[in-house]
Amino acid sequence: MTTLDFEAFSLSKNFIFESKNVELSNLIANESIAVFPQKSYVIRGIILKYIYDKNVIVLPEESKKAAVLFKKWAEEGKNVLIIDPTTSFMKTLVSLGVSYEPVCSSMNVFRLKKSDEYILEDPSPYNVVEKDLTKILNINCIPKLSLYQHPISNENRSLIIFENVKIPENAKLKFSIALHPQVWNPNKGDGVVFEVFIEHNGEKEKIFSKYIDPKNNPEERKWNDFEIDLSKYSGKNVTIILSTLPGPKNDNRWDWAYWGDLRIVRG
């Protein structure tokens, strides 16, 4: 076992997983580096024995130093998996400009990547039910770093505001919307309206509005993916506003609404 010469984590070479965890074994078999930000996996005995062609990193604690190194590796084109991180560690990676994509798994697994995109962060919440907006939500084996926005009422909007966002040339806003799987029950509310506004020079434009009701529409029981052309705002600094509203009955019970992986994609 080799220990890198800075605090917060050790590089443990050549670990393999118990055969009962075939899913993770197969994931790691195709990657050069796998990162466990929570050392509880070692304590649980998931890691069993050495092999000699892979690196598995176990973080005794999550740190910005570790995140900086992972960013460097991603920019170098190395394959880096982050396995079951805390929300705070993913937020640290995002704050450093690290991009990622979800890996379909029963656990929360993210692959870091080099990309011409940036993830929207540090929003200003207004009239929200819960101040801690950011969560990791896994739906149908697809984890996403998400913002939770429970609607209040049609007369009293909940808002999540991203100020001073610079829009690159020919950019798109990409995101997913969903309701939490625990409320996919027809007895729990009547769905949610998701809306996106852009404000620039004192003018506000609604650029997206979508009503989903996975409680009654099984085809919407997933991450519903969308992208919006932002080319008319190229080169401008804008405010992006997210809003959620209750369904047609103005019933906000069980409206556990989530925005997933909000990002600006260049070109």
Side-chain angles (χ1 to χ4, degrees):
M1 181 178 295
T2 303
T3 301
L4 299 187
D5 60 353
F6 58 83
E7 65 182 12
F9 76 97
S10 61
L11 175 61
S12 306
K13 291 196 68 173
N14 309 324
F15 280 125
I16 193 170
F17 293 86
E18 293 178 79
S19 58
K20 67 181 181 181
N21 206 319
V22 174
E23 180 183 33
L24 279 178
S25 297
N26 290 339
L27 279 174
I28 290 175
N30 296 315
E31 305 298 331
S32 58
I33 302 166
V35 179
F36 283 79
Q38 302 179 67
K39 66 178 180 179
S40 58
Y41 287 100
V42 180
I43 297 171
R44 294 176 196 169
I46 292 179
I47 296 175
L48 185 63
K49 62 182 180 180
Y50 291 112
I51 57 175
Y52 294 101
D53 59 350
K54 299 296 169 189
N55 291 326
V56 173
I57 297 171
V58 180
L59 302 183
E61 63 181 67
E62 298 175 327
S63 75
K64 187 171 182 178
K65 285 187 177 181
V68 169
L69 180 63
F70 303 153
K71 176 185 179 181
K72 176 177 178 290
W73 284 343
E75 290 175 344
E76 291 172 351
K78 294 181 179 178
N79 293 320
V80 182
L81 285 183
I82 306 293
I83 301 172
D84 207 27
T86 62
T87 300
S88 62
F89 190 67
M90 288 302 295
K91 289 174 70 175
T92 299
L93 288 169
V94 168
S95 71
L96 294 172
V98 177
S99 188
Y100 62 85
E101 61 186 7
V103 176
C104 187
S105 169
S106 58
M107 300 174 66
N108 295 327
V109 181
F110 301 90
R111 178 181 288 107
L112 304 189
K113 64 177 183 177
K114 184 177 181 180
S115 176
D116 286 332
E117 65 183 27
Y118 62 89
I119 299 166
L120 295 178
E121 58 172 332
D122 293 331
S124 300
Y126 174 77
N127 201 25
V128 295
V129 171
E130 188 172 329
K131 296 297 183 183
D132 187 10
L133 305 176
T134 308
K135 320 280 185 184
I136 295 175
L137 180 61
N138 193 322
I139 297 179
N140 300 334
C141 294
I142 300 176
K144 291 182 181 286
L145 191 62
S146 309
L147 294 175
Y148 172 59
Q149 188 178 27
H150 194 297
I152 307 299
S153 71
N154 286 320
E155 299 77 26
N156 188 18
R157 284 179 177 268
S158 168
L159 303 176
I160 297 176
I161 302 171
F162 298 90
E163 298 179 307
N164 199 31
V165 179
K166 180 67 176 288
I167 306 299
E169 294 294 322
N170 302 315
K172 295 179 181 179
L173 176 65
K174 289 190 174 184
F175 58 92
S176 305
I177 59 175
L179 298 191
H180 197 290
Q182 291 182 7
V183 299
W184 290 350
N185 185 311
N187 297 323
K188 295 181 176 179
D190 62 340
V192 172
V193 178
F194 293 77
E195 295 186 337
V196 181
F197 298 84
I198 284 190
E199 193 173 82
H200 177 66
N201 285 343
E203 296 185 1
K204 184 187 294 184
E205 178 187 5
K206 183 191 294 185
I207 61 171
F208 175 81
S209 182
K210 178 67 176 178
Y211 168 65
I212 64 170
D213 184 16
K215 307 169 186 193
N216 294 295
N217 300 322
E219 67 274 12
E220 294 177 334
R221 294 177 182 176
K222 62 179 181 178
W223 283 114
N224 299 271
D225 302 325
F226 297 93
E227 63 178 52
I228 303 171
D229 182 11
L230 300 179
S231 56
K232 68 178 289 185
Y233 296 102
S234 293
K236 299 176 181 177
N237 284 12
V238 304
T239 297
I240 297 177
I241 303 169
L242 310 180
S243 178
T244 55
L245 298 169
K249 298 179 182 178
N250 203 22
D251 180 1
N252 75 340
R253 294 175 300 166
W254 308 103
D255 283 354
W256 299 358
Y258 287 82
W259 303 85
D261 284 351
L262 283 129
R263 61 189 67 207
I264 303 290
V265 181
R266 302 176 179 90

